[in-house]
Every structure is written in structure tokens, then in C-alpha cells.
């Protein structure tokens, strides 16, 4: 249930179509519903601009399904990350879409796609994280474009994506190994850049730590850095920036 | 020299007021001027939205002054971070303003202040980094408001800043020690949040590493994280987001 | 065999009901019984206030069962942590209770439940560790109340637990990811707080290290920190504090 | 201003000696006073059981003095840790006591000393941290006893402190290097133990990290661990436990 | 082939029982035999006092067997550490003994057992590493005695082993978790102490790193520290010290 | 004394110009001269291709001078790295040249300059390390060219050095912060690349560790990585590669 | 498609055998072919001297096969590292050779073998990484010789490889555990040395980190260090150096 | 006061020369003398074989002097490590000897020098730590011989010390940087080896950590490792081994 829904409720009170008691009831029941093992926060969208999302990793399939249904009843939309095929199968919601590459399930994402978020990946192994960012941004209501495998060892490939770099409002750069791509992209554009390190690499890549450190130390000022493999977070931030109302 | 200047140059070519040769000369000489020890990149503002800035720490006073003057000649504006009083004294520019708390020198910052960036600090020791962010954002052309000492151990203080939280378009949260403030702020607002860990703390704070890790692992999705003590970076990103033209 | 049992033995010597030889024999046989592979320390309760407990992880099922029985013969009570269902099955003690969430087996815990320990968890994934703390405290003789999923990204949920915060004598706070909850709880209560970091998280959560560091660096003074996932330790300490006799 | 002061204010309202308006004024002005550079939180004692304390390290002398005076006006008591002699000299408060070993200044500590907290140090180099704990606990109103240089390489020395171990309600153990003392103490007592690692050592002691890790991994269950060199935190927690009202 | 064998060979040359050519041949063929995938160094015992030993972990069963046989042909004795039951089965040497606890296979160890090495373990989980040390020392020709589960949380147990502490010439102390036992043992004996950290523990034990650091930082001077879980190394060093000829 | 000198000595023996005794004496006295506190290895050039070099940091001025003179007597050439002005002053050798930027003193470097080594630096703060590499390579006999301040945030600057990239036989890339430059250079050239991380940066640059890790994890295969700030090592390796005789 | 192919194409244009249109077409289609999930860079050999290589780990078998075929169509040669037997089986290319030890598949490597690269391994467990280096260098066109198990604990074994050390132009040294072999080799030769740390070891070897650090800190100047287990990178660099055209 | 002194006291009791009361008094007063800030343990020599030693670093000059005098009164011998010249000056004991290289003060060390301990250093910068080991061993009563600057990059130098290697009973090897020397020495001798890493090096030597890790992971089995720069500990252990009475 987002701001629009609440606004409509209040307007119907104003116009007399709904009684104050009814509205109060609707609102009161909102805060969170106690499923005993998880307090679902139905107000989050209103407060944080991001609806409650289920991080499925490490949770039991039936628990994920139960939380997802409660969430759907209240807000009519659900996003599940790090999901498995079996969750999708058990979920049995006709609007649910399973994205296998990013292991994401989106139920009733936003209809309209606003602005333009560009998502770049350095290598092919970084694609799952990049896809998670793309699905998330799209679910929230932003138009997401992806260009993959444009890493720093073949920098001329990046140049082919110049038009996309120009038209995008926010750019997400996903890279593992030495994590140099955000710096290179940052050197040729003035758009806000969100860097996502991935756990791609071996030896001293330390599961993405090297890429993370490189991004934090970029010589390009003002790059926003996310946790390792956190495509979801990048999608959220990019959407917030993309849809910020004019000053 | 920013986009507007170049556009005007081109328009005067179009209108016949300037010859092609003159324009070419102007443009050609732009890229960077070789000071032998430092290639100053006068095009950066155009490409990255952030003018060339001088990071003074570890550089000799006379070198900083020389770079600053060359930069000023070309773009009429300079920002020097981690500066000392003696740089300011030797600089001898009448428009220069020295901000002692953040050790920043700003020469001819932006006149107009657009939008509204809110900068919060957890403790009093975090103020220098917060000030660096504020001076930077302000220099670039954003309106910056600061509210200090609203850390998580006295969370009711934060509540007093509610109106500012509401009116801001972007929020920078500066915190050392356990770095929990961005999570708390992120739980009560839907604005883009930029978190800056500081090296404030002792023992296992590891010079800001603990705060950095906490911010990267925030349970609030989509928080943009900067390097330790990088108030300048936060100011840059906040300004880019704040002044993004409508989609 | 706890202090009371020994005291009674000595009193029956004093009153003539038992011979010195008998008492000596009883006491002498106490220290520890040699099972060749593990010296079971039957005096620990007397010395440390915590009976010998079996940490089952990494031990063979039959060894755990053998140690548990020897312990039960001597003290009539046993607590097994990180236990499996198959240990419970093989144990065949009618008083044994298996707690699947925390993977704990308690045999003949304390009857009376004194004082009031409140156990909070930040997320649903932190529940197993929180449950271990609750079962331990309860086994030792403290009344334990649990409130789950009150993490820092939805801080208003915590406010609903105000009454429990008020009535508790000690508060255990269990959290993974950025580990910020203990600081927030510490900002609104004057009760002793025991913080337990969990290995919940990914990327730079480093298996709980980030939460641990955040807790050690809390801006709230005097928070007691436990090892990662150490719900058992938290339960022990909380019980010791809760049952401390008046000064 | 602590609970007693507020209670008295309310009672004088109840009895008619003070008007509601007066009381309201008094209370309203309490929360925090804005010194522009630091929000002093005069309610902290009421909420957290610990009055606002000033951590002087890294702050300017005059700032510490200004904060200390504002705090004193409101609550009639101040504790300054990591203080220098020059702060003490500039403070000019007749009730101030400077403890050089722990570099602490206490103004008007608690009169009565309740219960009994025992503070042990492993070596002579650990004494400053142990003293900080002792001064803090004493300032807050607990009776603090210290026994120093009873480290694990000469364990028979510890045995001489048996009576103190017996009579104490809480025990603080301060140790650097391998940090083994809390485990040894924990093996012979059933009192709550608070372990404070110190930065004493060299090479792989890593400024106290080794001692900290050893304490977190103690085979004695339920030891409360503090940050490195955090004698102040240990004093706070010990006092909270020591003065906990009976269940 | 050890020093004695070579000495005898040379003496038989001296006495005319062997020709120089024969001796040369015997010696020349010694250095190492090329198995193409592993140069077996048959001289090691002579040079380093420790015969070539096979570290089986990560090697294929048939490779271990092949190396073992070549080694046996040359020196009539073999020690295999981190061995599996299936290596033992495939080895088919009648003198081979499999020690399941330490996963060691010893073929024709030393007959005589000299001196006295005492091996202590802190907990029952440390026993495999302690056993590896015991089997190694015994294989090389030292008398090894083991006393297990005498950890620091129940220090009175250690006292029961006083006689063994007195009669031993070298003491190996094996401990995981906080690794405090070597310090305690070192405080009550003047024998050379070899400390072996084990990977026993969880959370911040970091697979034995905490115990290792504690041992390196012991306040008892001169403790010899081994790599994590390196019972074999401890057995070697203890044997070297134990059998050092009088000065 | 290098291979040529020895060869000449041997040839003069062969031709009868020098007696065997004289030659033997010359050779025997070569290995190393005992200065009691430092064995100077006059043969190193012959064995390793690099003459003995003095690392002055942490050594006393008079010791450096004494070693330098002994070395000069034997080989007529000396290189001192991390040197101070005062060493240069006290050295009093007429052929000595002091390079202040890299703090290097070279006495009688190679006359001829062979091949072509290109040395790139990312920023102006990386120049001292780059200069150390240049002085070293030049001293050993390679032609060294330097191009500075061509970092990744302004990649078009690098393009201006295309001709140098083309003509060089080996390329040394010096960079701090995120250490991305070697990857970018490696993407546009097929020459051997030697990457040197510098300690330039702050916060999580960890004194050059971030740059080092990035270089080790470069997506360009086969980049040679040096220790942090090790310009000297890079100069040595580049010279060895540059002067390798044809296969 | 390497430099020779392009040169021939251009020469046939020059000689009139090919039309400019045809040549343009050939060249234009080169840059990279879009397989949607991976941009294959057919120009890499020309730019970087190393043809595009497939790192198979973590990629699906069918994807590896598809990329390999596209690559083969364009350049007639493919190298696949960290490959499995099942990739080899599915690949069905008659020229493909599977090297099981190094898990490498080489299709149509270079015919001629130039120069001489020596590859040393310290132990038998380091052989897979050493083999990867050998197969890579050989595939690219260098003659590779391997000598294994010459580690530092039996240094006389290394001496037996003296002739190979003398004739080689570049030496790759592969070692795990303490990583000391490169220093020892570097002390007796003046050839360029490439050091590859391996993840062989246990406890504090930290998966190869100890060997890596030792190699970076070698007292022999100018050793080129690779990432952990990066035999492929070592092979590439050795080949580049070995085939460098004379200055 | 060592075992001999006590034995003599007891014998004079046995022979009637001393009364039991006198002896008791002497013994009773021994345990430790309370200097209020440091419990001096006069029995340590008897228990641990090492007399109480003063680690002067971080202690005030007058405190060191006071402890030293008390210690001297009781045992007639004192060793002070990490001492300064000013301690020596203030000490005013005629038997005191100041060793400036190792910053050690020895008062009345052992007269007789038994056995033979060989101390090797890799470089000249490692000498202070090696000297600390030598002075300590000599003070305790072992004959100590030193051979310096025999590091692994010039391994032929080590060979010149062959006779010393042969005659020594224990060998201490001191090395910084890559810490490879103990492995090389261990490969050519069968004596017990004690390895001491030093903080010599830069960049990724991490203040001695790299050398420490290399030593712990030596491929030579059974090397005893000390903490970084701990020459004192090495001297103690070497002496204990050297003077072990025959089995």
C-alpha cells in the first residue's frame, strides 16, 4: 500500500464517501501484521519509498511463501530476491514472474517505466548481479537498460554504448576482479554512478573485497558504493534518484 | 569552463561573431595545460559534472598554489580540500574563502543555491567531515543545511530535525564508531541517503573501518556508501543527484 | 550437584546423621569422573554458577550421549547446544526436551523462573541464536521473554515492546548485518544490555564480524558483547546478572 | 538531573509548592541545550542510567571546558575521560578531582558507595585502563576495589586475592597480550565477569586485538567483553549490574 | 637411511669389507629417486633429523601409496599424516599401523622410546591434533604421554597431572578457542613448551587464528609456537629437543 | 665487478699477462668483504644481474656512507635508495648524483642507455615512486621515459602518450588509490607491463593495499606486480627484460 | 586473427588482389561479435599479444562451448583454463587437447616453440598451477621446460637443475606454503623471475596469501608476482618476455 | 633467587647451621614483594627457569629503576629489555652492562657459559633483535655465537658458517621481509631451530606479519616460531633447550 492508496482513502473521507471510522480502521490495521515469526511492515513503502522485499536466501520455502502472500494481500505487489524455482512453483500467483538469471520473483511490478537507468557489467560472470539490479529498478517503476561485458581490458567496447551513457539519468556499474570499470565510466560521464562489486574472481579477489575497495578508492569523486553482490540495493538507489521529483 | 561557456562559443561561431579558427583555438587549448608535474584537466566539469579539485594533503604549499592559479585562470573557480591556513595565506586570491573546520578553500563557488541537501552528523567529532561535504555541495551550487550531534544513543534528538528531513532532496549522514545512524535515518525517510564513515573512534573502530562495514551492511536497502572521511565525495554525489534535470 | 546439595551434606555431618567418612567419600568422588576421552567437571556449577554444558557440534552422536548420561547421573540436569534431532532420539531420557529452532536439548531445567530477561532479535534470521539464549536462560532458572523482528529499519516496531523493555531486568539484543539494534535499545533504556552478533548477512558482513565490531564500538557505554552466534553465552550472563543476590 | 530531581519536582507540583507551568518549563527545557557544536543530552541519566560523560580525546581544551560547565549547571556532576592536566587546570571547579593514572576528571561523584566491584589487572601496564574502570564505577556510586599485576604467568598471585573474589558482586578483568586472565578467573568464580582487552603488547598483539579475540572465545561461558582499552564502558556496565534492584 | 647406516657403510669401506665402488654406488643412488611427479628425498633424515613424511591431504590415494612404497624400500620406515582408512587398506604393508583419531599411518616406527614428552589438550575436540603429535614423537623414538581435557576453565584438573609435568623433558600444549592453556602451564613449569593452536572454536576463533595469536603473545617468555593444527610439527620439534645429546 | 671484468681477468691469465696467483687473489677477495655489521656481496651483479644496492631507510648515515665506499672501491658504482640529502653531503664522491624527488643517489651509473622503458604514473603524488623506477632503470643501463598524471579519471590524457606506448619495450605503471591504470594500459598494448602500487590514498586505501589487490586481480592477463612503493624493484625487472639477449 | 593475418590482408589490398571494400568488410566485422551474453573480443591478440582465453570456472558447459566455437571460427585457436572433462567431451573439436593435470583445453596452439621458459615447482601439490603455466606458454609459442619438487627444504635438488637455469630466458617459480623458493632461485640467477603463489598449505597459509606476501617481500629485487594459483597469467607474461623482439 | 640458593638454604637447615624458623622466614618472604604498582615475582626462576625480567618499553624510567633494585636485592641479577640509555644512567649499579644495539641492560648475568647457541640474522637491519636473543641467552648462562647478514639472496654466505651450524646445539634464525631463512637453514641441519620474524621491511611486510606467516608455514617440519621482534623469547627458549639435563 503506497502513498497514492492512502491519499485516495483520505480523499474519500474528505468527500464523504468513507466514514472516519472506516478510514481509521484501514489505517490502524496497516502498521504491521504479526505472523509470529516475522513482523511484516506494510508501511515501509510510504516511509522509505521501497516496498517490503523478501530476501529468500536461508529462509524456508514455506515461510517465504507465507510472508509473500500476506504482503500481497496488503499491498498487491511483492519482490523476492535470491529466490529459487521451487519458491516460484509453490507461490502459485498468476502475476508472478520468475527471472532465473538473477533468481528474482516479481509480482505485479510497476506498470509505467520512468526515466532511464543504464546498467553495465564488466564481464559475463557479473550478469546475475546486474540483472538483479535491473529487475529491481524495473519492478519499482524505472526503465532499465542493460549493456554487458564491457570491461576495462577491452575499453573500446564501452565506447559503443556512448548513446546509452548519454541518455541515462543514473548509471549502475557492476564489476568483479579489480573493479576498475566504475572509475573508467566515471571519467567519461557526469551522471550519478552506483558501483556494485561482485564476488567474481579468485585468489586475492577475496570474494569481492578487492573490487569493493577499488570502488571506494576511485579517483573519480562521488561514486556511490554498494555491498558485494548487492544488485538489489543498487536498483533501489537508482530508482530513488531517477524518480526524485524536481527541486 | 563549463558546458554553457562552450555552447556560447559555438553559438558565436554559428552567428558569425567568432571565426572558426578562433573557436578551434579556444577549444584546442582547453583539454589540459602541462605544468610538467601535473596535467590539469580543464574539461573535467564538462565530462564529469565536477570541476577539477585539489586534494592538498601531502602536496607542497607552493605546488598547490601554482595548480590553483592555473585552474583559476581557466575556469574562474577552484576548490581545495584538506588545505592548511598557510596555503590560504600564500594563495592571495581576493575571492578565496577559508573554512577552518573542514580545512577547505573555496574560490568563487556557485552563486545560486538549488534544491536542499541535509547533512547530519552523529557526534561532534564527525563535524569536520560533515562540513567538508557541506562546503563542497555549496561550492557546486546546492543549498546545504547541517544538523549535528544527533547520534543513535540519543535518537529523540534526530526527531527534532523532522522538518529538515522532510524538505531535503538528498541526505548525507556522517558517523563514526558503530556507524548506525544511516540505518536509523533510512528507516524513517524515503530520500536517497549517502553515508560517510569517519575515522572517529578507538580500539576496534580501526580508523573508520567498522563504521564503513556497518554502512555497507545496512538493513535499509540502497544506501550509497563513501570511503572513510570522504566528505568531499559525498558532497559531489549529493549535488549531482540534487541537480539532476527532470526525466 | 550444586551448593545446596553440598551444604545439606555438611549439615547432616554436623548433626551426626552422616559420618565424616561418608561425606568425604561423597565429596571426593565429585571433582570429575574420567570418561577417558573427556573429563566431566561435576563441580562447575558450584564454582562458575553454570552447570557443565555439552557443545555438540563436531562431536560424534554416541560421545554426546555418553557424556550427557554421566552428567545426568551426577547432577540430574543437562543442557546440550548445537544438538541434532538424532542426538535427541538416541538420548532416550524422558525429561529431555528438544528445541528445534535453536537446536538445543534441555533435560530437567530449573523449575522456578525468576526475574525477567527480555530477548530481542533484529530480523527473522536471527531467531535461532535468540532462541538459544532464551532456552539457556530458562534452563538456568530465569524467566525469558522474546520479541522478534524489531530491527532498526523499522524502529517504530521496537516502540511497541516498551512495556517489556520497562519490566525486564536484563536485555539481550541479537542482530546480524550492521548490528545497530543494541545501540538503539541502549539509547532508550538503563538496563544492562548484552549484545550478540549473528552470522546473518552476506558480502562484507564477514560472517558476523561487521555486527560484532559495530557492537564493540557502540556509542552507548557499557554494552556487554558476546562472540558471534553465541546465544548460549548471552543466556548464561543474563541469568547470572538476573539472579545476583542483593548487595 | 536524575530521576530523583524530577520526582521531587513532580511531588512539589502534587503538593502545591510548584505550579504546573513552572514544572512544565523546567521539564521542557531539559532535553538538551544547544551549544551549537554539541547537543548536550541532560536526560541521559534518566534514560540510560549513565550521565552524559565527556570523551576528551581529540577535542579542544576550551570545548571540553565549555561542555563540562554546561553539564555541571544542569546536573551538578561531570565525568571527563582521556582528559589532560591542562583541561583540569582550565576547568577551575573546586569539586573536580584529577586522576592522573587514568587521565580522568570527576566532579562531584556519587557520595555513597554501594555493593562491591573487584577490578583485576594482569600486568602493571594495564593499570591505566583498570583505573579508568575504577574511577568510573566509583563516580557512579559503586564501591570499587583494585588488585593489580595478578597475570596468568604467576597464577598463585591471583589466589591471594581469594577473599576479594568472594565478596565482589561483579568482577572486571583487564588484560593485554594473550588476554587469558578472564578465562582463569572465570574458572574459579561464579560472579558476572567483564573482560577489558588492553592495547598492551607488541608484534602480533595488534594493539589489543589478540586479547579481544581471546576474550570473545573464552571457554568460560558468558563473559562480557568490552572494546579495547574501554575501562569506562566496563565501569558503567559493572555499576549497572551492581546496583540492579532486586527482582 | 639414517646416520648410523651411512657410518656403518663407511666403516665397512675403512675395514675393507666393502669396495669404494660399492659404497659410492650406495651413496650416489641415495639423494633422491625420481618418481617423475615427486622427488623423494632419502637423505632428509640425515640432514634434518626427520625422515621424509607424506602429507596425504589433497593427494590421490594411489600416489600416496606409490611414494610410501618407494620410501619404505629405501629407509624401511614411513609416516603418513592426514591419511584415510582407504590409504591404509591399499598400502598392504604388514608393519603399518593406522591411528584413526589422528588419521596417521606409521610403518616401522622407532623401537626404543627415549626421554618423556608430555602432551596436554585443553578440550576433547583438540584430541586429534594432540594424537598426531603423540604418534609422531613416538614414531621418531620419544616416549609420549598424553593427558587430555585439562583446559583453563577447570584449572584444578591440570593440577592432577603434576607428576607428569615434573617428569617430562618437553611439554606440548594443544588448545583451540582462546588458547590460554600454554600460558597457564608455562606459569608452573620450567620445561620447554611447544604450543599448538587448533581450529576448534567458532565465530571469531577464525579457524584457530585467535588461539595462534594468543600463544604468540603469551606473557610467559619463550613458548615455541606451531602453525594451526600442526601436531606433526610439534612432535618433530619435541623429539629433536628430547633427544638432543648432552652439551 | 661484473661478468666482463672477470672475463677480462681470465683472458689475461690465458694470454700470460697475469699469473694464476694474481687472478686467484683477485677472485678470492671478491665474494664479500666483512665490515662486521654487513657482509657486502660484491658478486651479486654477476649472479643476479643487479649490483648490490643500499636501502638507506632506517640505517645510520655513517653506516650507509661506509658501505657505499666499500662498494665503490670494489665495483666503481653504487645506487642508494630512500636516501637523504645528508647522506649525499657526507658521501663526498664527485660522481654522485642526488635525485631529490625519488630520494636516490646514483654513483657512476651505466653510460649507454639501451632499449626503451616507459614509466607512467596515475597521479602527481605517485611521481616519487615512478622516479625511483626511472633512476634505477637508467642507472642499470636502460633508456627510461616518464609520462605522469595520466590516471584513469581522465583517460584521454593517456591517449596522448600513444607513440611512447608503441615504441617502449616494457611499460611500468605506477598508481595508488584504486590502482586501475595498469588494467587500462594493458587493454591497449601488448608489451610486458609491470605494475607498482603506491601508498597514495586515504581511508580504505590501506597504505596501498587496495591498489596492490586491484593489480593482482587485473582482468588483463600477465601483469607483473611489485610490492607497494617498490619503484626500485620495477626498475630492476624492467631493465632485465629490456636487456634480455635475443633468444 | 593476429597481426600477421591483418598484415596479409592489407598487403593483398596493396597488391590489388583484394578490393578495399572486401578488406574493410573483413576488418569491420572483426571487433567483436555479439553473443548477447558475452562480447567476444577478436582483436585482443592484436592489441594485447594474448588471444582471448576462456576462464571456464563458474560458467555453464554449453556457454563455454558456444564461446569457444565462435572464437575458433574467427581465430582458429582457443585456450580454455579451469576446464572440465565434460567441456572437452562436448566441444568435439578434432584439434582440441585436454591437459587433465592443469585442467586446460588447447585448440591449435602455436606450432613453433621459441626461446626457453623454465618452470619450477616447490612441491608436488603445486604441479597443477605449474602445468597451467607450461601449457599456456607452449600454446602461445614458447618452449616450456618443467622441473618439479625442488622446494627449499631440500635445496640440493634445485642445484641439479643448474643447466636448465642457465639456458632459460625466463623462469617461473611456483610455490605454496612459505613461498620461499623464488628468493632462493633469485639469489643464484640473473634471469627475469615470475613468482606464482599457490593455495597449497593449511592453517595460516590462508589459501596462498602467506606465499603471496613472501614473494612480494622478497629480498631479491625485481621479482614479478602473480595472483594466487594464476599459472595462466605467469605463462602469458613469460611468453611476452621470451618473445620480445630485440631492442 | 634460584634453585641452588634454596637448596643451600635447606641443606644448612639439615646440617643445623640454620634454624627452621630462619629458613621459613626466608622462604615465606620470597613469593612476591608488594611495590603497590607491581607485584615482583621472586620465585619465577624456580618455577619457570627464567628470572623475572623487566620489559621497559612504555614504563616510566623511575618505575623501571625501582623494580630493578627490588629485584636485585632479592636475586642479585636483573635483565632489562627495550631499555634506554637514561635507565642505565639512573640505575647506578656497578655490575650493570648496557648493550646499545639491543637496548638491553644486564646486571650480573651467569658466569659460566654452557653449550653453544648459534644466532643467524638475514640482514643488517635484523641485528638488534638478534642481539637481544644473544644477550638474553648469555645472561641466562648459554654460550651464544652470532653470524649476521647471511640472508637468502646470497645463500653462499650461509655456507661459510657451516662449522658453526655443526657445533651449535640450538639455532636461532632472525629474519624480516619474506622470512625465508629459517626454511633454508632447516633444510641443511637437524638441530632445533627457533625462528624470530622481525618488523624489517615495508609495504606488505606489514610490520613483520609476512615473515611470521612464512615461518609458521615452513615446509621444514618443527620450526619453533616466536612473536615479531621477540629476540628475548628466543633467547629464553634456546637456553632452556641448551641446558636441558640429559634424559
Amino acid at each position: 500500500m503506497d502513498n497514492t492508496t492512502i491519499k485516495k482513502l483520505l480523499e474519500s473521507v474528505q468527500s464523504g464517501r468513507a466514514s472516519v471510522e472506516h478510514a481509521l480502521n484501514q489505517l490502524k490495521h496497516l502498521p504491521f501484521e504479526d505472523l509470529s515469526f516475522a513482523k511484516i511492515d506494510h508501511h515501509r513503502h510510504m516511509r522509505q519509498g521501497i516496498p517490503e522485499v523478501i530476501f529468500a536466501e536461508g529462509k524456508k520455502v514455506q515461510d517465504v511463501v507465507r510472508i509473500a502472500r500476506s504482503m500481497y494481500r496488503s499491498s498487491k505487489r511483492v519482490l523476492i530476491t535470491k529466490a529459487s524455482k521451487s519458491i516460484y512453483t509453490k507461490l502459485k500467483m498468476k502475476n508472478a514472474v520468475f527471472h532465473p538469471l538473477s533468481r528474482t520473483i516479481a509480482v505485479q511490478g510497476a506498470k509505467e517505466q520512468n526515466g532511464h537507468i543504464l546498467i553495465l557489467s564488466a564481464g559475463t560472470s557479473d550478469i546475475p548481479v546486474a540483472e538483479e539490479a535491473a529487475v529491481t529498478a524495473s519492478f519499482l517503476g524505472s526503465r532499465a537498460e542493460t549493456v554487458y561485458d564491457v570491461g576495462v581490458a577491452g575499453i573500446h567496447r564501452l565506447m559503443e554504448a556512448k548513446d546509452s551513457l548519454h541518455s541515462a539519468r543514473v548509471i549502475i556499474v557492476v564489476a568483479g576482479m579489480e573493479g576498475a570499470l566504475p572509475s573508467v565510466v566515471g571519467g567519461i560521464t557526469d551522471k550519478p554512478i552506483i558501483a556494485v562489486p561482485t564476488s567474481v574472481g579468485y585468489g586475492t579477489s577475496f570474494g569481492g573485497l578487492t573490487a569493493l575497495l577499488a570502488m571506494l578508492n576511485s579517483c573519480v569523486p562521488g561514486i556511490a558504493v554498494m555491498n558485494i553482490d548487492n544488485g538489489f540495493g543498487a536498483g533501489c538507489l537508482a530508482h530513488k534518484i531517477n524518480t526524485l521529483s524536481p527541486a
Side-chain angles (χ1 to χ4, degrees), chain A:
Chain A
M1 186 179 240
D2 57 23
N3 280 332
T4 325
T5 319
I6 297 178
K7 212 173 157 195
K8 279 189 187 151
L9 179 66
L10 295 175
E11 284 166 359
S12 57
V13 170
Q14 193 185 42
S15 66
R17 270 170 298 138
S19 70
V20 168
E21 284 71 25
H22 170 75
L24 208 70
N25 245 338
Q26 291 276 323
L27 283 170
K28 212 157 74 205
H29 129 276
L30 283 177
F32 48 86
E33 197 179 318
D34 203 322
L35 288 185
S36 95
F37 61 90
K39 295 197 187 306
I40 299 168
D41 187 348
H42 297 315
H43 264 197
R44 186 167 291 185
H45 195 213
M46 207 162 64
R47 275 199 336 275
Q48 298 177 15
I50 304 291
E52 183 92 55
V53 172
I54 309 169
F55 182 73
E57 200 136 290
K59 294 207 180 74
K60 293 183 190 157
V61 170
Q62 71 261 42
D63 286 357
V64 172
V65 169
R66 196 143 54 119
I67 301 176
R69 285 190 186 142
S70 153
M71 211 177 271
Y72 185 78
R73 270 194 305 277
S74 151
S75 67
K76 300 298 169 214
R77 53 193 303 212
V78 177
L79 182 68
I80 312 175
T81 63
K82 312 291 179 206
S84 61
K85 181 92 191 181
S86 71
I87 290 173
Y88 174 68
T89 312
K90 291 242 169 75
L91 199 61
K92 283 175 194 154
M93 289 190 184
K94 57 181 174 180
N95 298 319
V97 180
F98 181 56
H99 301 267
L101 235 83
S102 60
R103 294 170 44 216
T104 313
I105 299 168
V107 189
Q108 205 77 324
K111 290 271 158 54
E112 286 169 72
Q113 302 290 312
N114 302 307
H116 174 203
I117 294 170
L118 175 64
I119 298 156
L120 304 171
S121 92
T124 55
S125 309
D126 303 316
I127 294 179
V129 174
E131 278 291 303
E132 193 184 78
V135 171
T136 300
S138 176
F139 173 85
L140 295 172
S142 286
R143 184 161 68 83
E145 182 198 4
T146 56
V147 179
Y148 293 153
D149 203 18
V150 295
V152 91
I155 219 156
H156 56 291
R157 295 171 183 171
L158 178 63
M159 299 310 158
E160 311 235 333
K162 238 179 212 171
D163 288 351
S164 297
L165 283 164
H166 200 76
S167 63
R169 285 167 53 77
V170 195
I171 302 169
I172 295 173
V173 186
V174 181
M177 302 181 83
E178 82 268 60
L181 192 55
S183 290
V184 172
V185 174
I188 57 178
T189 176
D190 64 346
K191 309 296 168 57
I193 291 176
I194 301 168
V196 190
T198 68
S199 50
V200 169
Y202 64 109
T204 55
S205 79
F206 296 128
L209 187 57
T210 291
L212 172 73
L213 291 173
M215 290 165 179
L216 285 169
N217 286 281
S218 176
C219 50
V220 173
I223 289 182
V225 183
M226 295 286 123
N227 199 355
I228 297 166
D229 289 339
N230 191 4
F232 167 66
C236 290
L237 179 58
H239 171 72
K240 278 189 187 181
I241 296 172
N242 181 39
T243 57
L244 205 60
S245 54

